[in-house]
Amino acid sequence: MLPVSVFSLTRQELDLQRSVKAGTALNTRLDHRNPLVFDTHELGRRPGAMQRLSREIETPADFGLVGVIGVPEGAPLKLNLRLESVMEGVLVTGTARASAVGECVRCLEAVERELKADFQEMFSYPDADDRNRSAEPADDAEDDEDTLFLEDGLFDLEPVLRDAVVLALPMQPVCREDCLGLCPDCGTSLNDDPDHHHDAVDIRWAALQGLVTDQGDEKDNMSGTASDGVQGAAEKQEK
């Protein structure tokens, strides 16, 4: 079982990863052949225009919690999207469905979960008018770091989708709610043998237990010697 602290930075790591990808989005050209790159030209920058899309893709790498649970790379991932044109850009609302696999954190048996992840994200036009912002300049700079932009009418859904999938996964998956886990002493599955146990000895009494054992052996030896003596005397008397 991984310690809970492993997951404490998940949200911050996702935000950092997302900020980096958002910052580099304007410096790289999107490939329309990528199944997670979508074209918004049909909306025509007409506020109120809407488009619905359905697509099944192969899951990219790293869609999950490493060593715990995730959607395997190449596994089918179904997307249902709604693209809405607004003044600032395109609002994308969607649902992703896939099967996630991993290990039970209690007994280490295989776990499979049907995953449903909902998400919503705004992809802004690079030339969107921001003169009506009421935030302070420092807040504006912070907001710009989190803003995702359209590039020539295209947007890359992968960073948004990865965030949604990871956050929808159970951070400590179990094979069943009442899983008993493994014996901490020998690793036996307690689900297979619920009555399994070890007689625990308090280490504070371990030395005394050794003395009791030694005294018991000593008494047995003395009893054996006495018995031999009695038997020998009886044999001599008979002779």
Side-chain angles (χ1 to χ4, degrees), residues 17 33-35 41 72 74 113 145 154 177 187 198 206 222 228:
Q17 181 186 58
R33 295 170 297 182
N34 184 330
H41 284 99
R113 292 283 184 272
E145 291 180 358
L154 304 176
E177 292 300 324
H198 297 271
M222 291 176 63
D228 293 342

Side-chain angles (χ1 to χ4, degrees), residues 153-166:
L154 304 176
F155 67 86
D156 183 4
L157 190 63
E158 182 171 342
V160 175
L161 186 58
R162 178 178 283 105
D163 286 3
V165 168
V166 170

Side-chain angles (χ1 to χ4, degrees), residues 43 45-51 83-87 89:
L43 298 176
R45 295 191 69 162
R46 301 186 304 272
M50 184 178 69
Q51 182 181 11
L83 280 55
E84 299 175 84
S85 178
V86 295
M87 292 295 295

Side-chain angles (χ1 to χ4, degrees), residues 84-113:
E84 299 175 84
S85 178
V86 295
M87 292 295 295
E88 298 84 2
V90 175
L91 180 64
V92 179
T93 305
T95 300
R97 288 182 172 84
S99 293
V101 296
E103 287 186 347
C104 174
V105 296
R106 297 179 188 171
C107 69
L108 304 183
E109 291 294 327
V111 172
E112 184 171 353
R113 292 283 184 272

Side-chain angles (χ1 to χ4, degrees), residues 69-143:
I69 190 170
V71 181
E73 182 177 0
L77 192 152
K78 297 179 180 180
L79 298 174
N80 289 299
L81 305 178
R82 183 180 67 197
L83 280 55
E84 299 175 84
S85 178
V86 295
M87 292 295 295
E88 298 84 2
V90 175
L91 180 64
V92 179
T93 305
T95 300
R97 288 182 172 84
S99 293
V101 296
E103 287 186 347
C104 174
V105 296
R106 297 179 188 171
C107 69
L108 304 183
E109 291 294 327
V111 172
E112 184 171 353
R113 292 283 184 272
E114 292 302 315
L115 174 74
K116 178 185 176 183
D118 297 320
F119 54 90
Q120 186 175 72
E121 189 65 48
M122 170 71 74
F123 290 87
S124 300
Y125 298 122
D127 58 348
D129 185 4
D130 59 353
R131 290 176 297 178
N132 293 327
R133 290 185 182 178
S134 59
E136 296 296 328
D139 294 335
D140 288 346
E142 185 176 347
D143 290 342

